[in-house]
């Protein structure tokens, strides 16, 4: 395993939170993600379902968790199923969990091979009134291919049409939003690896190389520090490419005098970091670039202070928009008079800043939770204002990851170079 062992106590506590909120006479069934098809006889590298990982720590395909807390037989109240391995599987694919290992990782009371699942689950279902199932719920995402969970839910509803079905998603969303100390530790590790990668980029970026060469430096640092890889496909966008918000081609040559926007984050033990920095390719910001950069940095610092208990992402986004608008006036992009006279349905700022400031972060880079969730200590959010002036080929975003706490915002990326002078000195090899 690439990441350090997480004590099973975390997953035991996570399951307890869920069991405490279930209706009486319920069964919960949570499935591992599918292995997803790449091409030929290949799968994509496996990524566990974030909910399954949250509840069990099992980082392997073909695992199932069943909870049936009111079952009269104690050993059937909490069961993990894993695929039975054999010599041929070990020869071709290597090691898979033994029953003892699956128990050690998850802390589950009972662990069984997967081939006993159908019979066991039938008993659990027939004793229960409510069946809690998970489907991937994300208002901003849809996929043509039905997930394993969705296929399973459809099949189960056909087989057991008279049960009451409940969604796990609202419960798991509520729990996953507030991170436990072990989770913060994993996220901090992801952030620390991400910082190392940025420092490497500062040393190696220069005019004439390709964007994908910068991407390779990031990947090198991630993999050599035990990250599973990127938490999302990295954006390495030089010049005007930085104005394409989801630019991931990373195939252009770096031009002397341009800026380069880098949005990347390591995934460590399935937890994400999410960093953005914008740096001058030749190591020195020109006057206009510096003015624009410092405008975004001022907003980023003020926005960080808004990330406190009691507020919402929606409110933060509104405030940040006002801050960015004032900076845009300062940069001469439009005037205060223009703003007064603007059509409120099509505000001036939107041309140069068209995304939100924050999203939740955790097992997923865009983690569970809506913009209306009231912030509580333990939640982690990105803070990422930006400025995109296409006609000047300038795209700037600065992003750190902020832990909400009672004692003020805690920046998990606070040691990553951010000031103009610091970036320039490091690029010159002075620091
Ligand atoms: N890297 C994705 C984001 O910043 O939201
Ligand atoms: Mn990002
Ligand atoms: Mn982000």
């Amino acid at each position: 395993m690439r990441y350090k062992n997480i004590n099973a106590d975390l997953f035991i506590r996570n399951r307890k939170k869920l069991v405490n909120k279930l209706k009486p006479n319920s069964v919960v069934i949570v499935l591992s993600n599918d292995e997803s098809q790449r091409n030929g006889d290949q799968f994509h590298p496996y990524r566990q379902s974030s909910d399954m990982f949250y509840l069990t720590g099992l980082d392997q395909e073909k695992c199932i968790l069943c909870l049936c807390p009111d079952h009269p037989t104690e050993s059937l109240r909490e069961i993990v199923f894993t695929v039975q391995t054999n010599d041929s599987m070990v020869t071709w694919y290597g090691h898979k969990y033994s029953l003892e290992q699956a128990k050690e990782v998850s802390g589950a009371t009972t662990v069984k091979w997967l081939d006993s699942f159908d019979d066991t689950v039938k008993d659990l279902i027939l004793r229960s009134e409510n069946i809690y199932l998970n489907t991937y719920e994300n208002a901003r995402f849809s996929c043509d291919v039905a997930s394993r969970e969705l296929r399973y839910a459809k099949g189960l509803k056909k087989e057991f049409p008279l049960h009451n079905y409940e969604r796990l998603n609202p419960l798991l969303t509520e729990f996953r939003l507030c991170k436990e100390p072990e989770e913060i530790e994993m996220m901090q590790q992801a952030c620390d690896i991400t910082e190392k990668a940025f420092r490497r980029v500062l040393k190696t970026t220069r005019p004439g190389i390709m964007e994908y060469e910068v991407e390779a430096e990031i990947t090198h640092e991630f993999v050599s520090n035990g990250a599973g890889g990127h938490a999302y496909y990295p954006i390495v966008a030089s010049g005007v490419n930085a104005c394409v918000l989801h630019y991931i081609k990373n195939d252009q040559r770096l031009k002397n005098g341009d800026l380069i926007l880098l949005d990347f984050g390591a995934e460590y033990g399935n937890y994400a970091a999410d960093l953005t920095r914008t740096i001058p390719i030749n190591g020195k910001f020109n006057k206009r670039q510096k003015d624009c950069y410092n405008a975004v940095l001022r907003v980023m610092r003020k926005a960080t202070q808004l990330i406190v208990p009691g507020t919402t992402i929606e409110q933060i986004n509104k405030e940040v928009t006002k801050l960015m608008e004032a900076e845009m006036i300062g940069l001469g992009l439009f005037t205060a008079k223009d703003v007064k006279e603007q059509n409120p349905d099509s505000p001036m700022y939107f041309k140069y800043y068209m995304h939100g400031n924050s999203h939740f972060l955790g097992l997923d880079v865009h983690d569970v939770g809506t913009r209306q969730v009231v912030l509580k200590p333990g939640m982690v959010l990105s803070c990422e204002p930006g400025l995109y002036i296409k006609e000047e080929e300038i795209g700037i975003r600065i992003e750190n990851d902020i832990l909400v706490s009672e004692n003020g915002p805690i920046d998990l990326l606070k040691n990553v170079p951010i000031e103009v002078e610091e970036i320039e000195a490091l690029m010159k090899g002075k620091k």
Side-chain angles (χ1 to χ4, degrees):
M1 205 158 62
R2 295 187 186 204
Y3 53 91
K4 78 174 182 4
N5 184 41
I6 307 174
N7 194 304
D9 189 54
L10 170 67
F11 310 114
I12 293 171
R13 292 198 314 271
N14 290 348
R15 289 195 295 274
K16 244 185 215 146
K17 289 180 200 170
L18 176 57
V19 166
N20 287 342
K21 288 275 178 107
L22 298 176
K23 292 184 174 172
N25 297 324
S26 293
V27 58
V28 172
I29 307 166
V30 184
L31 308 178
S32 276
N33 263 345
D34 276 320
E35 293 170 278
S36 67
Q37 179 185 351
R38 184 172 180 270
N39 237 315
D41 62 354
Q42 302 285 304
F43 288 115
H44 286 285
Y46 187 70
R47 171 58 159 79
Q48 182 57 285
S49 129
S50 295
D51 287 331
M52 183 69 172
F53 189 81
Y54 179 80
L55 291 170
T56 65
L58 293 170
D59 210 349
Q60 185 176 290
E61 69 285 355
K62 298 190 180 111
C63 298
I64 303 179
L65 169 71
C66 288
L67 301 170
C68 190
D70 299 328
H71 199 291
T73 309
E74 202 175 331
S75 64
L76 294 179
R77 290 179 190 162
E78 181 181 74
I79 315 169
V80 152
F81 297 86
T82 64
V83 69
Q84 183 156 12
T85 184
N86 56 40
D87 287 349
S88 163
M89 259 170 78
V90 170
T91 302
W92 284 92
Y93 304 108
H95 177 77
K96 301 283 166 189
Y97 292 131
S98 65
L99 292 178
E100 296 71 30
Q101 283 168 331
K103 191 175 173 73
E104 193 182 324
V105 170
S106 63
T109 322
T110 303
V111 180
K112 291 171 175 261
W113 293 128
L114 194 59
D115 55 14
S116 64
F117 172 70
D118 287 341
D119 288 345
T120 312
V121 82
K122 194 162 186 177
D123 169 71
L124 306 184
I125 287 174
L126 293 180
R127 284 172 185 279
S128 304
E129 284 168 28
N130 310 298
I131 305 177
Y132 283 76
L133 297 176
N134 217 11
T135 56
Y136 186 63
E137 298 183 19
N138 186 324
R140 296 198 295 176
F141 181 81
S142 57
C143 181
D144 288 344
V145 184
S147 68
R148 190 157 172 236
E149 291 167 328
L150 188 59
R151 296 193 311 270
Y152 184 70
K154 283 183 178 168
L156 214 55
K157 283 192 110 169
K158 264 196 190 153
E159 199 178 341
F160 301 103
L162 302 181
H163 278 71
N164 175 44
Y165 286 84
E166 296 279 340
R167 289 157 62 213
L168 273 175
N169 182 277
L171 299 175
L172 292 177
T173 294
E174 182 192 330
F175 308 140
R176 274 179 55 187
L177 272 166
C178 287
K179 273 66 184 175
E180 294 286 335
E182 295 95 323
E183 297 186 281
I184 300 294
E185 217 180 286
M186 298 299 275
M187 293 185 76
Q188 186 64 66
Q189 186 62 26
C191 286
D192 292 350
I193 295 172
T194 304
E195 175 185 342
K196 281 190 182 180
F198 181 58
R199 289 184 182 274
R200 187 180 180 97
V201 164
L202 288 174
K203 280 192 207 139
T204 49
T205 298
R206 59 189 186 281
I209 65 170
M210 302 297 286
E211 289 168 346
Y212 54 73
E213 291 180 73
V214 180
E215 178 184 331
E217 298 293 348
I218 297 168
T219 307
H220 176 111
E221 205 63 31
F222 282 4
V223 176
S224 40
N225 282 284
H230 294 267
Y232 51 93
Y233 206 85
I235 297 169
V236 181
S238 62
V240 75
N241 299 333
C243 297
V244 179
L245 296 180
H246 288 165
Y247 178 83
I248 53 168
K249 277 193 185 157
N250 304 350
D251 64 352
Q252 296 300 301
R253 199 172 289 286
L254 273 57
K255 282 200 307 224
N256 193 5
D258 277 354
L259 295 174
I260 183 165
L261 183 155
L262 308 144
D263 184 343
F264 60 96
E267 183 174 77
Y268 183 77
N270 291 323
Y271 285 88
D274 188 7
L275 173 81
T276 308
R277 287 293 182 271
T278 309
I279 62 173
I281 286 167
N282 63 15
K284 193 124 184 72
F285 288 87
N286 68 30
K287 165 92 173 61
R288 178 66 172 168
Q289 290 167 344
K290 189 170 165 173
D291 288 347
C292 292
Y293 184 91
N294 281 330
V296 179
L297 183 56
R298 277 191 294 275
V299 173
M300 197 262 189
R301 290 205 192 292
K302 287 180 191 161
T304 301
Q305 295 312 313
L306 300 174
I307 300 179
V308 292
T311 186
T312 65
I313 288 181
E314 196 165 67
Q315 283 166 3
I316 295 168
N317 284 350
K318 263 193 205 149
E319 284 301 308
V320 172
T321 298
K322 277 191 230 144
L323 294 167
M324 279 307 313
E325 186 181 69
E327 291 290 356
M328 287 174 201
I329 292 169
L331 289 167
L333 293 172
F334 45 79
T335 64
K337 185 167 170 279
D338 291 334
V339 172
K340 254 190 202 152
E341 291 167 2
Q342 75 190 357
N343 173 357
D345 295 332
S346 165
M348 306 290 293
Y349 74 79
F350 194 77
K351 180 177 173 198
Y352 304 105
Y353 175 52
M354 59 301 275
H355 58 77
N357 181 71
S358 293
H359 55 81
F360 291 109
L361 191 73
L363 281 165
D364 293 319
V365 64
H366 292 165
D367 210 36
V368 290
T370 65
R371 292 179 177 173
Q372 291 76 33
V373 166
V374 176
L375 300 193
K376 283 190 201 148
M379 294 182 179
V380 181
L381 288 75
S382 71
C383 182
E384 50 179 311
L387 179 66
Y388 310 91
I389 318 174
K390 207 167 173 190
E391 53 275 26
E392 298 184 40
E393 304 202 346
I394 287 177
I396 295 169
R397 182 163 66 254
I398 308 175
E399 174 176 27
N400 279 6
D401 303 337
I402 312 298
L403 168 63
V404 180
S405 101
E406 258 148 20
N407 307 316
I410 298 173
D411 190 340
L412 302 181
L413 288 161
K414 64 176 181 305
N415 296 324
V416 181
I418 199 165
E419 294 288 344
V420 163
E421 296 70 24
E422 200 182 1
I423 288 169
E424 289 183 345
L426 283 162
M427 291 189 82
K428 223 175 164 184
K430 269 195 195 155
K431 263 184 153 180

